[in-house]
Amino acid sequence: MIATMCRWLAYSGTPIRLEELLVKRDRSLIDQSLHARQGATTTNGDGFGVGWYVDGEPPRVYRSTHPAWNDRNLRELAAGVSSPLFFAHIRASTGTAIQETNTHPFRHGTWLWMHNGLIREFPRVRRELVLAVDDSLYPSIEGTTDSEAMFFLALTFGLEDDPVDAVERMVGFVEATGRRNGVEHPMQMTVATTDGRTVWAFRYSSEGDSRTLYFSTRMDSLKAMYPESAELAQLSDETRVVVSEPLGDLAGAWNEVPESHAGIVQPGADELRPFTPRA
Amino acid sequence: MIATMCRWLAYSGTPIRLEELLVKRDRSLIDQSLHARQGATTTNGDGFGVGWYVDGEPPRVYRSTHPAWNDRNLRELAAGVSSPLFFAHIRASTGTAIQETNTHPFRHGTWLWMHNGLIREFPRVRRELVLAVDDSLYPSIEGTTDSEAMFFLALTFGLEDDPVDAVERMVGFVEATGRRNGVEHPMQMTVATTDGRTVWAFRYSSEGDSRTLYFSTRMDSLKAMYPESAELAQLSDETRVVVSEPLGDLAGAWNEVPESHAGIVQPGADELRPFTPRA
Amino acid sequence: MIATMCRWLAYSGTPIRLEELLVKRDRSLIDQSLHARQGATTTNGDGFGVGWYVDGEPPRVYRSTHPAWNDRNLRELAAGVSSPLFFAHIRASTGTAIQETNTHPFRHGTWLWMHNGLIREFPRVRRELVLAVDDSLYPSIEGTTDSEAMFFLALTFGLEDDPVDAVERMVGFVEATGRRNGVEHPMQMTVATTDGRTVWAFRYSSEGDSRTLYFSTRMDSLKAMYPESAELAQLSDETRVVVSEPLGDLAGAWNEVPESHAGIVQPGADELRPFTPRA
Amino acid sequence: MIATMCRWLAYSGTPIRLEELLVKRDRSLIDQSLHARQGATTTNGDGFGVGWYVDGEPPRVYRSTHPAWNDRNLRELAAGVSSPLFFAHIRASTGTAIQETNTHPFRHGTWLWMHNGLIREFPRVRRELVLAVDDSLYPSIEGTTDSEAMFFLALTFGLEDDPVDAVERMVGFVEATGRRNGVEHPMQMTVATTDGRTVWAFRYSSEGDSRTLYFSTRMDSLKAMYPESAELAQLSDETRVVVSEPLGDLAGAWNEVPESHAGIVQPGADELRPFTPRA
């Protein structure tokens, strides 16, 4: 089975222009969209999305079905917008429709959500999963992806109150549903979600062989990676970048999130804790 | 409440180029998309779709989110394709996403479906309606419109075996569900569906005040409407055009389908019969 | 001949969110794109563009070929971006391709340019006009519109040094070229251009019967027009809005720029001066 | 310098569905668009075009700026259209705008034209080249690519009367213009053009190191390549496929067009002749 292989990036810290990490130089996320390296698919040309926070307002989302590398409006936006917290996602679809409503990040109220991976045999379990979404949330589902269904299930299980608990319940529910339908390894995911202040990142798969997930701990390494960037030179030590795959080649800049763990990027000390799905 | 107001056309008879009725002259469907006349909204710029049959194969569907009037590919297609049976639909959305999967006609196997009207307060009842769709059909739902939900409910109720009965059951179910949720007049519709041989057209609304629906009976009138068209001059007397609104100004060419009726365009004598929703 | 009829808006003054004038309420520019009132064409669904300045940087430009009214990204952008000077344009094409490079505003360096009107029989004179564009500017021409050709001719004639003089020369050249080719009334235009500090607006047509052009002088009127807007309530008296057609219905808020005149919106006293094409 | 690397295919012979060579199986042109093999760029996601002839009429052209691999309408079209002569092209841009008017094949009257390669330093010579286009043809130029300029120059030099002579003159003119502007190797091209009956294919570069160009001579090989295809099984021995790069892996099916040669696919014996640019 060919797995869909997306790429994503979450940034939290000193406000910078989106283009610093999305567009500039040949190590940016957009560059990765054209020259996939570790991807299961050869390119990420099936759409792009970015969500960003400014002035403590609800996030804005720009999503396009064009390849990120040839979307001029995205470059304009990335050059014109600065933000202390933003998500970006490039998509490689293996079947579901290429449309903005299937493009990450997904938004609900002040929350954003993005995902790399898949719910295996989603068409077979989709109905049961969607049926479990809370009545009041159901009308907000706009697309047809497994990723969006995961988001609304997590919201149903209390994402806004206790994110880690809600995601553990969501994954537990997806795994139970999948297995009841004869799917051996229902879940494969790296997920990032945020309320605009804290970023939660999850790495998990039913088979214990998850897609990669990294976060930057040492800003000095990141700065070293982009010596020519005045903006990056001023990043606070609180600044964090979480990525599905490392940007650039400075191994030192990136720490891998262990299998079945959740990372929490927040004011003060970050956290790394085991992640255990619960029925 | 502003109602969404689409326009559609169904053609059955002597094979002609799509452009004859979709593109040419200032009385075509595309012209109507730009210069809406009786519409509740001022224009139909939210997408366009055409579905056509050739050589007894499953229908092909071309759908675009661009306004029909400025879609060059549509003009190429309409000039290059001839068909004995085709559907065309121009959309005016009042909120659901502008994406191909929300664009009519909808297709399932050899069947096409298109709709003008709405299920009132659809967001409130959407979940109940969609969850009544048969398990085996559910994964084929790609969009988020009331129109597509109606199609899959009709399929669930046996559209492929007895179309009129299935649509009567579908409407009965939608009305029961709506009223149980406090919607006084749940359904407003003109619908056309086909299996590639017969065309079924329905005009119905819960309040007994339905959108218009017309069919051409006298080909000589239609020919008179387009005297310059060699193709139309050769139309058989079996040829029929069913439209949500008359094309052109020759009143004589069009017969209105009565309130709460279904029209059946088929080889031999056509039928017109009362339409009664059933729980 | 059906003239293309676009609509545009130029804003200069207290920084506000683009959505205040582009999106909100039923008197916005986007609303006009759907419900054209005085237009020669019934709708403006052939693309939209916005250009804005922030922090004294070169302008950013967002352009789309989708109708403004159903472009979600535009709404996100307009809600997320504040600017002290921005241009917005909605297009109604009568033939040239619907593509971003034919969408206003056009940008060169720190300058923006947008136009409502047309060069009559442009295909016949296009070659001669483009031939007159300076060698160093020619490669920057990306589209095929008369409006963009006017911009690059104006740049060739010194727009960046003396805007009014350059536009007078440009119009004089277009008229001379057109008449040499047997066009009686070559030019019909309202144009706005800016360097990010000053806005120049022009109203002129060869036949002395130009498209309309208005500017707001009395901010109190504008504020009265949008009593519910906290942002507009804080507009300085320096703030100006220049529009191809009045927004809303408060006649008092708008002054018409006289036939064959140029208006200059700048720090300190604005100017209104006669406009005379020169060969 | 990164060269733009497109891919194209020309088919002439027994009428078949476009999908046979464009969509089906993992050796199709669309598959190549996603998994570039010999490409100078890693993917061809910057648009797609197909032009086809039916019933001796002018060609129809479908062009899209979306990646070919995720364009559903293209699949519908390719499944629904059969043709005895069609061109297909997948684009990888290195800078010029991604828009339909920059997408191959280009059409003028009954002629089609597509190109893989580039005019080196085109921005520097574009003006001179375009201004050499005949007055009567100039208004038909819609895009901004070097490829379209080559087409209109070839038309200016008599493409419709003597294609090989006209292309030799076009290339001679481009080389003279480039060298006068200090470009050492102005031209790199494989080109295909047709009037709907004969296909002319050209392989040439100023440096004598041209992009690849192949044609199928032995239909039995092509049939062997797709044993499962009933349609291909019936191809006449007159049938030819000309490609920028071989489809599939059957070396035997493909003959390489030599450096600086033109191939002519026509009723009766095909021709292969030296190609010599002429001033």
Side-chain angles (χ1 to χ4, degrees):
Chain A
M1 178 206 128
I2 299 174
T4 174
M5 183 67 178
C6 303
R7 271 166 187 64
W8 58 255
L9 174 154
Y11 176 90
S12 173
T14 307
I16 63 170
R17 293 181 197 233
L18 308 188
E19 69 177 359
E20 285 295 330
L21 295 178
L22 303 191
V23 179
K24 284 185 175 180
R25 305 176 206 77
D26 65 356
R27 310 152 177 163
S28 70
L29 192 70
I30 287 183
D31 178 64
Q32 286 195 3
S33 74
L34 187 52
H35 305 278
R37 293 186 183 105
Q38 312 168 22
T41 55
T42 50
T43 190
N44 296 84
D46 298 333
F48 180 98
V50 56
W52 68 99
Y53 295 83
V54 179
D55 306 334
E57 295 192 350
R60 309 301 175 188
V61 176
Y62 173 79
R63 304 192 293 186
S64 166
T65 59
H66 282 91
W69 66 78
N70 70 31
D71 187 325
R72 289 186 175 196
N73 289 324
L74 171 62
R75 290 170 190 277
E76 296 288 321
L77 183 78
V81 171
S82 292
S83 171
L85 199 166
F86 60 91
F87 277 15
H89 185 280
I90 52 180
R91 186 174 178 222
S93 168
T94 51
T96 53
I98 309 302
Q99 55 196 29
E100 290 177 17
T101 55
N102 283 349
T103 305
H104 311 225
F106 300 100
R107 171 179 57 189
H108 185 72
T110 62
W111 288 72
L112 292 178
W113 174 279
M114 59 186 172
H115 166 231
N116 172 32
L118 73 162
I119 294 178
R120 294 202 171 82
E121 309 205 29
F122 181 58
R124 199 198 300 180
V125 295
R126 180 181 163 204
R127 188 167 177 278
E128 271 186 71
L129 296 180
V130 171
L131 171 60
V133 171
D134 186 84
D135 244 356
S136 63
L137 294 167
Y138 184 89
S140 301
I141 299 177
E142 285 196 313
T144 56
T145 60
D146 50 358
S147 306
E148 186 189 26
M150 288 162 62
F151 181 30
F152 279 92
L153 282 170
L155 286 163
T156 299
F157 289 123
L159 182 69
E160 291 157 304
D161 302 322
D162 185 340
V164 175
D165 176 76
V167 174
E168 286 179 336
R169 289 172 179 280
M170 178 274 287
V171 174
F173 180 75
V174 170
E175 288 189 318
T177 305
R179 287 174 179 144
R180 199 168 53 249
N181 285 271
V183 184
E184 184 182 6
H185 299 306
M187 178 63 84
Q188 169 64 261
M189 73 179 212
T190 61
V191 161
T193 188
T194 182
D195 61 359
R197 293 179 303 278
T198 301
V199 175
W200 293 266
F202 303 88
R203 183 187 186 195
Y204 178 80
S205 60
S206 306
E207 63 269 41
D209 179 16
S210 303
R211 302 286 170 81
T212 57
L213 180 61
Y214 300 85
F215 60 102
S216 63
T217 43
R218 312 218 326 280
M219 275 307 104
D220 54 354
S221 304
L222 192 66
K223 296 172 186 175
M225 196 160 88
Y226 303 108
E228 68 278 28
S229 168
E231 287 208 31
L232 293 184
Q234 299 157 14
L235 295 184
S236 73
D237 292 339
E238 281 274 330
T239 299
R240 295 286 179 270
V241 185
V242 188
V243 290
S244 59
E245 288 171 323
L247 297 177
D249 311 316
L250 290 197
W254 303 102
N255 289 15
E256 186 162 14
V257 174
E259 185 66 52
S260 302
H261 273 68
I264 307 176
V265 176
Q266 58 197 347
D270 296 339
E271 284 180 57
L272 190 62
R273 60 165 84 159
F275 177 87
T276 310
R278 296 193 287 101
Chain B
M1 175 202 136
I2 298 175
T4 173
M5 182 67 177
C6 304
R7 270 166 189 63
W8 58 256
L9 173 154
Y11 177 89
S12 172
T14 307
I16 63 170
R17 292 179 196 233
L18 307 187
E19 70 177 358
E20 285 295 330
L21 294 178
L22 303 192
V23 179
K24 286 185 174 179
R25 306 175 205 76
D26 65 355
R27 309 150 179 164
S28 70
L29 192 69
I30 287 182
D31 178 66
Q32 285 196 4
S33 74
L34 187 51
H35 305 276
R37 293 184 184 106
Q38 312 169 22
T41 55
T42 51
T43 191
N44 296 84
D46 298 333
F48 180 99
V50 56
W52 69 98
Y53 295 83
V54 178
D55 305 334
E57 296 191 348
R60 311 300 175 187
V61 176
Y62 173 79
R63 304 192 292 187
S64 166
T65 59
H66 283 90
W69 66 78
N70 71 30
D71 186 324
R72 288 185 176 196
N73 288 324
L74 171 62
R75 289 170 190 278
E76 295 287 321
L77 184 77
V81 171
S82 291
S83 170
L85 198 165
F86 59 91
F87 279 15
H89 185 280
I90 51 181
R91 186 172 178 226
S93 169
T94 53
T96 53
I98 309 301
Q99 56 196 28
E100 291 176 16
T101 55
N102 283 350
T103 305
H104 311 225
F106 300 101
R107 171 179 56 190
H108 184 72
T110 62
W111 288 71
L112 292 177
W113 175 279
M114 60 185 171
H115 166 231
N116 172 32
L118 74 161
I119 294 177
R120 293 203 172 81
E121 309 203 29
F122 181 58
R124 200 197 301 177
V125 296
R126 179 181 162 204
R127 188 165 178 278
E128 272 185 70
L129 296 180
V130 169
L131 295 175
V133 170
D134 186 82
D135 246 356
S136 63
L137 294 168
Y138 185 89
S140 301
I141 299 176
E142 286 197 312
T144 57
T145 60
D146 50 358
S147 306
E148 187 188 25
M150 289 163 62
F151 181 30
F152 279 92
L153 283 170
L155 286 164
T156 299
F157 289 123
L159 182 70
E160 292 156 303
D161 301 322
D162 184 341
V164 175
D165 176 76
V167 175
E168 285 178 337
R169 289 173 179 279
M170 178 274 286
V171 174
F173 180 76
V174 170
E175 288 189 319
T177 305
R179 289 180 177 136
R180 196 168 54 248
N181 284 271
V183 185
E184 184 182 5
H185 300 306
M187 178 62 82
Q188 169 64 261
M189 74 179 211
T190 61
V191 161
T193 188
T194 181
D195 60 359
R197 293 179 303 278
T198 301
V199 175
W200 293 266
F202 303 88
R203 183 187 186 196
Y204 177 80
S205 60
S206 305
E207 64 269 41
D209 180 17
S210 304
R211 302 286 169 80
T212 57
L213 179 61
Y214 300 86
F215 60 102
S216 63
T217 42
R218 308 217 332 275
M219 275 306 105
D220 54 352
S221 304
L222 192 66
K223 295 171 186 176
M225 198 160 84
Y226 302 111
E228 68 277 25
S229 168
E231 286 207 33
L232 293 185
Q234 299 156 12
L235 296 183
S236 72
D237 291 339
E238 280 274 332
T239 298
R240 296 285 179 270
V241 185
V242 187
V243 291
S244 59
E245 288 171 322
L247 299 177
D249 311 313
L250 290 196
W254 303 101
N255 288 16
E256 185 161 14
V257 173
E259 184 68 51
S260 302
H261 273 68
I264 307 176
V265 175
Q266 57 199 349
D270 296 339
E271 284 180 59
L272 190 62
R273 60 166 82 163
F275 177 87
T276 310
R278 295 193 287 99
Chain C
M1 176 204 134
I2 299 176
T4 173
M5 183 66 178
C6 304
R7 272 168 188 61
W8 58 255
L9 174 153
Y11 176 89
S12 173
T14 308
I16 63 170
R17 292 180 197 231
L18 307 187
E19 69 177 358
E20 285 295 329
L21 295 178
L22 303 191
V23 179
K24 284 185 175 180
R25 307 174 205 76
D26 65 357
R27 309 151 178 165
S28 70
L29 191 69
I30 287 183
D31 179 65
Q32 284 196 4
S33 74
L34 188 51
H35 306 276
R37 294 183 183 107
Q38 311 168 23
T41 55
T42 51
T43 191
N44 296 84
D46 298 332
F48 180 99
V50 56
W52 68 98
Y53 295 83
V54 179
D55 305 333
E57 296 191 350
R60 310 300 176 188
V61 176
Y62 173 79
R63 305 193 291 187
S64 166
T65 59
H66 282 90
W69 65 78
N70 70 31
D71 187 325
R72 289 186 174 195
N73 288 324
L74 170 62
R75 289 171 190 275
E76 295 288 321
L77 183 78
V81 171
S82 292
S83 171
L85 199 165
F86 60 91
F87 278 15
H89 185 279
I90 51 180
R91 186 172 179 226
S93 168
T94 53
T96 52
I98 310 301
Q99 55 196 30
E100 290 177 17
T101 55
N102 283 348
T103 305
H104 310 227
F106 300 101
R107 170 178 57 189
H108 185 72
T110 62
W111 288 72
L112 293 177
W113 175 279
M114 60 185 170
H115 167 230
N116 172 32
L118 73 161
I119 294 177
R120 295 203 171 80
E121 309 203 29
F122 181 58
R124 200 198 301 179
V125 295
R126 180 181 162 204
R127 189 165 177 279
E128 272 186 68
L129 296 180
V130 171
L131 172 60
V133 171
D134 186 83
D135 246 356
S136 63
L137 294 167
Y138 185 89
S140 301
I141 299 177
E142 286 196 314
T144 56
T145 60
D146 49 357
S147 307
E148 187 189 25
M150 289 162 63
F151 181 30
F152 279 92
L153 283 169
L155 286 163
T156 298
F157 289 123
L159 182 69
E160 291 156 304
D161 302 321
D162 184 340
V164 175
D165 176 76
V167 174
E168 286 178 338
R169 288 172 179 280
M170 177 274 287
V171 174
F173 179 76
V174 170
E175 288 189 318
T177 305
R179 289 179 177 138
R180 198 167 54 249
N181 285 271
V183 185
E184 185 182 6
H185 300 305
M187 178 64 83
Q188 169 66 261
M189 71 179 214
T190 61
V191 161
T193 188
T194 181
D195 61 359
R197 293 180 303 279
T198 301
V199 175
W200 293 266
F202 303 89
R203 183 188 186 194
Y204 178 80
S205 61
S206 306
E207 64 269 41
D209 180 16
S210 305
R211 303 285 170 82
T212 57
L213 180 60
Y214 301 85
F215 59 103
S216 63
T217 44
R218 312 218 327 279
M219 276 306 105
D220 54 352
S221 304
L222 192 66
K223 294 171 185 176
M225 198 161 85
Y226 302 109
E228 68 278 26
S229 168
E231 286 208 32
L232 292 184
Q234 299 156 13
L235 296 184
S236 72
D237 292 340
E238 280 275 330
T239 298
R240 294 287 179 269
V241 186
V242 187
V243 290
S244 59
E245 288 172 321
L247 299 177
D249 311 315
L250 288 197
W254 304 101
N255 288 14
E256 185 162 14
V257 174
E259 185 66 52
S260 302
H261 273 69
I264 307 176
V265 176
Q266 57 198 348
D270 296 339
E271 283 181 58
L272 190 63
R273 59 165 84 161
F275 177 86
T276 311
R278 294 192 287 99
Chain D
M1 177 204 130
I2 299 175
T4 173
M5 184 66 178
C6 303
R7 270 166 188 65
W8 59 256
L9 174 154
Y11 176 90
S12 173
T14 307
I16 63 170
R17 293 181 197 233
L18 307 187
E19 69 177 358
E20 285 294 330
L21 294 178
L22 303 191
V23 179
K24 285 186 175 179
R25 304 175 207 75
D26 65 355
R27 310 150 177 165
S28 70
L29 192 70
I30 287 182
D31 179 66
Q32 285 196 3
S33 74
L34 187 51
H35 305 278
R37 294 184 184 106
Q38 310 168 23
T41 55
T42 51
T43 191
N44 296 84
D46 298 333
F48 180 100
V50 55
W52 68 99
Y53 294 84
V54 179
D55 306 333
E57 295 191 349
R60 311 299 174 188
V61 176
Y62 173 78
R63 305 193 292 188
S64 166
T65 59
H66 283 90
W69 66 78
N70 71 30
D71 187 324
R72 289 186 175 195
N73 288 323
L74 170 63
R75 289 169 190 276
E76 295 288 320
L77 183 78
V81 171
S82 292
S83 170
L85 199 166
F86 59 91
F87 278 15
H89 184 281
I90 51 180
R91 186 172 178 226
S93 169
T94 51
T96 53
I98 309 302
Q99 55 197 28
E100 290 176 18
T101 56
N102 283 349
T103 305
H104 310 225
F106 300 101
R107 171 179 56 189
H108 184 72
T110 61
W111 287 72
L112 292 177
W113 174 279
M114 59 185 172
H115 167 230
N116 171 32
L118 73 161
I119 294 178
R120 295 203 171 80
E121 308 204 32
F122 181 59
R124 200 198 299 178
V125 296
R126 179 181 162 204
R127 188 166 177 276
E128 271 185 70
L129 296 180
V130 169
L131 294 175
V133 171
D134 186 84
D135 246 357
S136 63
L137 294 167
Y138 184 90
S140 301
I141 299 177
E142 285 197 312
T144 56
T145 60
D146 50 358
S147 307
E148 187 189 25
M150 289 163 64
F151 181 29
F152 279 92
L153 282 169
L155 286 164
T156 299
F157 289 123
L159 182 70
E160 291 156 304
D161 302 322
D162 185 340
V164 175
D165 176 75
V167 174
E168 285 179 337
R169 288 172 180 279
M170 177 275 286
V171 174
F173 180 75
V174 170
E175 288 188 320
T177 305
R179 288 175 179 143
R180 197 168 54 249
N181 285 271
V183 184
E184 184 182 6
H185 299 306
M187 178 63 81
Q188 170 63 261
M189 73 179 213
T190 60
V191 161
T193 188
T194 181
D195 60 0
R197 292 179 304 278
T198 301
V199 175
W200 293 265
F202 303 88
R203 182 187 185 195
Y204 177 80
S205 60
S206 305
E207 64 269 41
D209 180 17
S210 304
R211 303 287 171 82
T212 57
L213 180 61
Y214 300 86
F215 60 102
S216 64
T217 43
R218 311 218 327 282
M219 275 307 104
D220 54 355
S221 305
L222 191 67
K223 296 171 186 176
M225 196 161 88
Y226 302 110
E228 69 278 30
S229 168
E231 286 208 32
L232 292 184
Q234 298 156 14
L235 295 184
S236 73
D237 291 340
E238 280 275 327
T239 299
R240 296 285 178 270
V241 185
V242 187
V243 290
S244 60
E245 288 171 322
L247 299 177
D249 311 315
L250 290 196
W254 304 102
N255 289 15
E256 184 161 15
V257 174
E259 184 67 52
S260 302
H261 272 69
I264 307 176
V265 176
Q266 57 199 347
D270 295 339
E271 285 180 55
L272 190 63
R273 59 166 82 160
F275 177 86
T276 311
R278 295 191 288 101

